């Protein structure tokens, strides 16, 4: 299945009443992962731009919100007047030193708090994006674990540049995250590499 076929199937799946009622397997909280090859990032980003208006015009109309983790991190730094200093540090010392320095300020509880401010409570779907851009400052399994207690009524879909086999998140198909068992794979891929 190509990435385009998977994205087309995703639109249909996001309108599935079972998913919208937030009923995962065994009636668990509906957390979902749409994984994809990192080279498909531009295709997925363009798809997400078109997705929300498409869902708003569907029958029934669906209200959705995109939460970009990278933008959330930038907003936390900006609110603390640390954004320019973070950019300067990254330019001088690189990503690794930047991540070590700002991790204490961009803790998972602070990210979740900011996400809660963005969510209005009337959404049918919540999309989490910016996972790759926010690494290594924020790990995907950490944010999902911390979101579970506070976003438990609305289905959450994380767009993940890497692979998810139902247990293991592997960012960019390279960096192994801790095991994560609570999310369901949306439109599992067989082989969509280099198929456009």
């Amino acid at each position: 299945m190509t990435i385009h076929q998977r994205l087309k199937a995703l639109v249909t799946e996001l309108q599935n009443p079972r998913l919208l009622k937030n009923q995962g397997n065994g009636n668990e909280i509906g957390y979902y992962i749409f994984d994809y090859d990192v080279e498909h990032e531009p295709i997925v980003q363009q798809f997400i731009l078109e997705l929300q208006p498409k869902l708003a015009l569907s029958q029934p109309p669906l209200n959705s919100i995109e939460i970009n983790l990278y933008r959330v991190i930038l907003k936390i730094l900006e609110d603390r007047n640390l954004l320019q200093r973070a950019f300067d540090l990254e330019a001088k010392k690189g990503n690794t030193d930047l991540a070590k320095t700002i991790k204490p300020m961009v803790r998972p509880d602070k990210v979740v708090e900011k996400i809660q401010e963005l969510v209005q409570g009337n959404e049918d779907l919540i999309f989490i994006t910016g996972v790759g851009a926010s690494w290594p400052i924020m790990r995907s399994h950490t944010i999902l674990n911390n979101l579970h207690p506070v976003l438990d009524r609305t289905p959450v879909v994380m767009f993940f540049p890497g692979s998810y086999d139902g247990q293991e998140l592997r960012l960019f198909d390279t960096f192994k995250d801790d095991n994560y068992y609570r999310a369901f794979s949306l439109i599992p891929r067989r082989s969509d590499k280099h198929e456009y």
Side-chain angles (χ1 to χ4, degrees), residues 6 52 87 92 98-99 110 133 154 159 173 187-188 193:
R6 290 182 68 224
Q52 287 181 279
F87 287 146
K92 281 183 190 171
L98 173 67
K110 294 293 180 194
T154 306
F159 288 86
D173 282 327
I187 319 300
K193 288 182 189 262

Side-chain angles (χ1 to χ4, degrees), residues 70-93:
Y70 183 68
R71 287 191 213 126
V72 168
I73 290 169
L74 293 179
K75 181 67 175 141
I76 291 168
L77 293 172
E78 183 180 47
D79 289 350
R80 297 188 66 177
N81 294 317
L82 296 171
L83 188 56
Q84 188 57 52
R85 288 187 8 206
F87 287 146
D88 293 344
L89 178 63
E90 182 180 29
K92 281 183 190 171
K93 305 230 176 173

